[in-house]
């Protein structure tokens, strides 16, 4: 876990991140500067990470596998993701596992988040460290998806899929089922 002694150190950590990551977590500076409990910031950064993970999976099936974009978007709204379930779908969609070094960046942060969600005591220092770990994961995850698929899920995904002709909806449904998605759309 990152050692972040003060909220100013957390602000510096945020300021050192890429433009995409800062834009994706745009409300974080206000959450940490306004003196709100860090539990609120933890909930926010995990919400934003889950959004990025969903965007990565959506982008992967649309760009890499040429799935019908509207069908994929609809299905992603129904897909329930767990931590392990995300890793499995990531591996299926992108053809390789999320690197252990990247996934390990979230381990301590997830532990702190779980304590908060289940009403356990967590120090402000642990929460600041967890937030910094999530930001580090976001940088690594964004870079990893860009390397493997050519788009950044924390960035502007406009035009990410190119001009490739998508599959029809029926074929997209079977494709997503084969990748491990629970097709209900």
């Amino acid at each position: 876990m990152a050692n972040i002694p003060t909220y100013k150190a957390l602000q510096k950590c945020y300021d050192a991140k890429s433009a995409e990551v800062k834009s994706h977590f745009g409300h974080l500076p206000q959450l940490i500067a306004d003196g709100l409990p860090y539990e609120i910031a933890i909930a926010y950064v995990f919400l934003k990470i889950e959004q990025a993970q969903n965007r990565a999976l959506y982008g992967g099936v649309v760009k890499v596998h040429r799935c019908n974009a509207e069908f994929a978007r609809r299905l992603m709204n129904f897909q329930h993701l767990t931590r392990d379930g995300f890793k499995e779908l990531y591996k299926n969609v992108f053809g390789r596992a999320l690197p252990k070094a990247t996934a390990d960046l979230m381990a301590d942060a997830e532990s702190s988040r779980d304590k908060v969600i289940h009403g356990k005591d967590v120090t402000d220092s642990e929460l600041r460290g967890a937030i910094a770990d999530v930001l580090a994961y976001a940088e690594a995850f964004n870079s990893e998806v860009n390397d493997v698929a050519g788009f950044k899920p924390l960035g502007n995904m406009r035009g990410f899929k190119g001009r490739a002709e998508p599959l029809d909806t029926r074929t997209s449904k079977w494709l997503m089922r084969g990748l491990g998605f629970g097709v209900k759309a």
Side-chain angles (χ1 to χ4, degrees):
M1 179 176 289
N3 181 20
I4 307 293
T6 65
Y7 83 91
K8 288 184 180 184
L10 184 56
Q11 181 65 48
K12 285 181 184 177
C13 176
Y14 171 85
D15 290 339
K17 300 303 175 202
S18 68
E20 291 99 358
V21 170
K22 287 194 288 191
S23 176
H24 191 73
F25 294 97
H27 295 292
L28 184 60
Q30 185 177 356
L31 291 174
I32 60 178
D34 285 351
L36 296 171
Y38 287 114
E39 289 87 349
I40 295 170
I42 280 286
Y44 173 72
V45 295
F46 272 90
L47 163 81
K48 298 305 280 182
I49 281 297
E50 288 182 23
Q51 285 178 341
Q53 290 173 335
N54 275 302
R55 287 170 55 107
L57 294 175
Y58 164 78
V61 297
V62 170
K63 182 173 183 174
V64 176
H65 298 285
R66 295 186 12 221
C67 190
N68 178 287
E70 185 56 41
F71 178 78
R73 182 176 295 111
R74 202 169 58 239
L75 188 126
M76 290 305 298
N77 283 329
F78 289 105
Q79 184 68 36
H80 174 73
L81 285 181
T82 61
R83 290 173 188 159
D84 291 335
F86 167 73
K87 291 175 187 172
E88 187 64 32
L89 285 173
Y90 182 93
K91 182 179 178 183
N92 293 345
V93 169
F94 295 108
R96 69 182 194 194
L98 188 64
K100 183 173 174 16
T102 301
D104 286 351
L105 291 170
M106 286 293 282
D108 289 336
E110 288 171 342
S111 175
S112 294
R113 176 229 173 248
D114 291 347
K115 287 179 187 176
V116 167
I117 296 300
H118 297 294
K120 308 296 183 208
D121 289 332
V122 186
T123 66
D124 283 352
S125 178
E126 288 176 311
L127 293 174
R128 286 189 299 268
I131 293 167
D133 287 348
V134 170
L135 294 174
Y137 171 81
E139 282 286 358
F141 181 68
N142 212 29
S143 178
E144 167 65 20
V145 173
N146 192 43
D147 289 347
V148 74
F151 68 93
K152 295 181 178 182
L154 281 84
N156 180 346
M157 289 180 56
R158 220 172 313 143
F160 76 98
K161 80 173 191 83
R163 293 178 177 231
E165 192 66 31
L167 301 171
D168 64 32
T169 303
R170 289 186 331 196
T171 307
S172 295
K173 180 177 181 176
W174 285 106
L175 170 78
M176 292 190 76
R177 183 175 287 173
L179 289 171
F181 288 89
V183 178
K184 291 186 174 45

